[in-house]
Amino acid sequence: MGTSDRRNSDERLWEEVSSEPTDQVIGRATRASLLVLLGIFIVAGLGLLVTYLAGRSGGGPVDQSGGETPGPARQQQPAVEQLPRVSFTDVTDQAGIDFIHHNGATGLKFLPETMGGGGAFTDIDGDGDPDILLVNGTDWPGDSGVGGGTSRLYMNDGSGIFSDVTEGSGLDVPLYGMGVTVGDYDGDGARDLFISAVGRNLLLRNVSQESMPPRFEDVTESAGLADDDRWSTSSGFFDADGDGDLDLLVANYIQWSPGIDLAVDYQLTGVGRAYGPPTNFKGEDMSFYRNMGDGTFDEATEEAGFIVRNPVTGKPMGKSLGLAMDDIDSDGDIDVVVANDTVANYLFRNNGDGTFSEIGAESGIAYDRNGSATGAMGIDIARTRNDGSRAIAIGNFANEMSSFYLSRGEGMVFSDDAITEGIGPPTRSVLSFGLLFMDVNLDGLVDLVQTNGHIEDRINTVQPSQRHAQSAQVFINMGPDAPLAFAQVPGPMLGDLSRPIVGRGSAYADMDADGDLDIIMTQVGGAPMLLRNDLDQPTRWLRIRLAGNRGNPDAVGARVSARTSLGPRSMVVMPTRSYLSHVEPVLTLGLADGETVDAIEVQWPDGATSVLQPPDSIRLNREIVLEHPGSS
């Protein structure tokens, strides 16, 4: 079915559902189901199979009798006194963030209601500090509810106090938003916004110039993005073909409409209709848009190699939620990793000519250590050992461990080492969405932070071990020589970060210019939690901001390598990570006691190289700006 045919079909289903009162909708769906009795038996059988396999495949609640699937034995964690002290303080209210996420739920249990939304830390006004964008939903067509709000933009005054500048900005339009990514796609020096949604996505060109507050213009249609009318999730700007401008990759989840959702009719024993897995929904292709350099994009998904089909049915295989990018094989171009929900994850290797090859199964990241697909949500990539290897972490469904794929050197061969790295057993009891690699305590080692929350608000009725609201988790990197590379920090040591929420997206930035990384966690149907990092021990750090050339001013995709007295360190400028979210493009380099920085080398996205070394100004506990060598 072509894009226009699918859109017309789904619009008819949408109109049929939204034009009738709720009771009539349910009755109509029931009468229709009686006419296709055989189909219902098939769906019911598949539902039972999903319930049975849920603990293994991530398809839904694990054990409706209330038990948990046995997991691997918990390995010995370090003593509490061996763990560094980290603490986060909820400053949402005092910082001026008054956002409430609206998901439009009325009791019909439409799946999108429990899956959004994301957020971004980004410097919209170019004043050097990170602002906050939060993505919102709205009511479903035909509902007579409160209507919901719109996505909201909050400007930072430089100290971590924010003001709402949404009204009149061009952002104040209703859409059923999911996630956000930020990039200067037209090379005019101003950061533009792409908001993914259920239905029409939104490309907003920043037309603020020197005026404030910021203003955005909807250029979705004129830029060539109006053909994508699906359920889009995570997205990211990056230079896929090395031509100097930012292309756009969009993850799409499943083929969905209200009518399809009612027909699938996921049920929980003793509860009734519930939010369920995507197992009985058809998959979707991703969408790739090549930047033409004139303010427009060309849809080139198949040409670029981002189409993956089921080898048996020939239908789209992906059910994509999380998106992360990195130069995984150190060949100078950006590769892409996709977290797929209940089907194989993808790894797209950049061939260096604007095309990609999907090698997820060959690389070892398609499935977990048992060879099973997981309920994959959020994703991130980092160099956790400072030895050239890469780690890919993926947050999974309840009763599944988070995946932790570790490479052998700088190649593209990975193994799922979640258990031996120390994050496996502690993550089985939660359902993880947002997931971030970040140096929480600025000791030079990259830690892991997970944002958790179940999809079903009544899950505790059928599974006493699960809660709708769940605590986030922090895993401190203990170093490669420790018995466990990562150790979970007990909740009481985390401050407000351990407060249970129905967590979804997450992003980080140094919002108050004190050197450490603060976090925002979004919550479905509720308020976000803005968490100030309150390290109470002396730290040594360096913040590195890159000023790229025209077309990519944030130098997205640049690799920054620091030569230090304790060995090499490497990071990539890539704001796209986590779940539906976008982090600041500034890099934070934490340093161990006594560690010195001898040189900083930048491999720019266009292949240029620059080096900063003593006696040049590498002074610690401050931010430095490195300019592209062609900009002077």
Side-chain angles (χ1 to χ4, degrees), residues 555-630:
V556 173
R559 180 173 177 177
V560 178
S561 300
R563 297 200 299 268
T564 81
S565 57
L566 296 182
R569 310 271 290 284
S570 182
M571 298 175 285
V572 169
V573 179
M574 185 51 66
T576 297
R577 57 188 68 229
S578 185
Y579 174 74
L580 307 178
S581 299
H582 179 102
V583 306
E584 65 171 357
V586 184
L587 302 177
T588 296
L589 178 67
L591 298 167
D593 290 341
E595 185 177 10
T596 59
V597 179
D598 302 320
I600 297 173
E601 178 178 338
V602 181
Q603 294 179 326
W604 298 87
D606 62 359
T609 301
S610 57
V611 179
L612 178 70
Q613 61 187 48
D616 295 327
S617 54
I618 302 180
R619 299 173 60 190
L620 300 186
N621 290 18
R622 67 190 60 237
E623 180 180 296
I624 62 173
V625 178
L626 304 181
E627 294 187 353
H628 188 279

Side-chain angles (χ1 to χ4, degrees), residues 456-514:
E456 172 53 47
D457 54 358
R458 298 169 294 176
I459 187 62
N460 185 247
T461 303
V462 295
Q463 189 180 339
S465 63
Q466 286 292 316
R467 296 291 188 276
H468 192 212
Q470 300 179 357
S471 298
Q473 295 170 302
V474 174
F475 295 89
I476 289 291
N477 191 332
M478 303 299 289
D481 298 327
L484 288 177
F486 289 85
Q488 184 179 8
V489 180
M493 294 177 61
L494 295 175
D496 292 329
L497 184 141
S498 65
R499 181 184 304 158
I501 63 170
V502 189
R504 292 298 182 261
S506 59
Y508 63 70
D510 179 11
M511 67 176 181
D512 48 8
D514 63 354

Side-chain angles (χ1 to χ4, degrees), residues 194-352:
F194 178 81
I195 299 178
S196 62
V198 179
R200 181 177 182 268
N201 297 323
L202 197 62
L203 179 64
L204 295 171
R205 180 172 178 261
N206 190 334
V207 294
S208 305
Q209 298 177 349
E210 300 301 322
S211 65
M212 282 295 131
R215 296 288 183 270
F216 297 90
E217 177 186 0
D218 182 356
V219 295
T220 313
E221 185 171 352
S222 62
L225 302 183
D227 63 334
D228 206 346
D229 190 7
R230 295 184 273 186
W231 179 352
S232 299
T233 53
S234 295
S235 58
F237 286 110
F238 75 117
D239 187 359
D241 49 12
D243 64 353
D245 52 32
L246 295 176
D247 309 298
L248 176 64
L249 182 63
V250 182
N252 297 308
Y253 190 31
I254 54 175
Q255 295 182 27
W256 184 91
S257 71
I260 294 172
D261 203 320
L262 288 172
V264 169
D265 197 25
Y266 185 83
Q267 301 278 329
L268 274 176
T269 303
V271 170
R273 183 167 167 82
Y275 297 118
T279 314
N280 293 333
F281 293 87
K282 296 179 181 179
E284 273 281 21
D285 292 322
M286 303 186 72
S287 300
F288 174 70
Y289 300 94
R290 198 179 303 281
N291 194 328
M292 303 307 293
D294 59 0
T296 68
F297 292 86
D298 178 47
E299 192 275 317
T301 313
E302 185 171 5
E303 174 189 338
F306 286 108
I307 297 291
V308 182
R309 294 295 170 86
N310 186 304
V312 176
T313 66
K315 302 296 183 182
M317 191 171 76
K319 299 179 181 182
S320 304
L321 289 176
L323 189 62
M325 305 168 179
D326 201 311
D327 182 6
I328 294 176
D329 52 3
S330 299
D331 64 352
D333 45 40
I334 295 297
D335 311 295
V336 177
V337 187
V338 180
N340 280 315
D341 191 0
T342 71
V343 296
N345 301 315
Y346 298 153
L347 195 165
F348 291 100
R349 180 181 60 206
N350 193 323
N351 298 320

Side-chain angles (χ1 to χ4, degrees), residues 94-116:
Q94 70 186 70
I97 306 297
D98 58 355
F99 177 84
I100 301 293
H101 180 257
H102 182 81
N103 64 356
T106 61
L108 284 177
K109 297 284 185 173
F110 290 146
L111 187 54
E113 296 166 356
T114 192
M115 301 300 288

Side-chain angles (χ1 to χ4, degrees), residues 67-84:
E68 292 186 358
T69 302
R74 184 179 297 272
Q75 294 176 267
Q76 183 63 44
Q77 294 280 316
V80 171
E81 57 269 17
Q82 294 178 275
L83 296 173

Side-chain angles (χ1 to χ4, degrees), residues 522-535:
T522 68
Q523 183 171 202
V524 66
M529 190 156 57
L530 182 61
L531 295 155
R532 186 185 64 212
N533 192 338
D534 288 331
L535 291 177

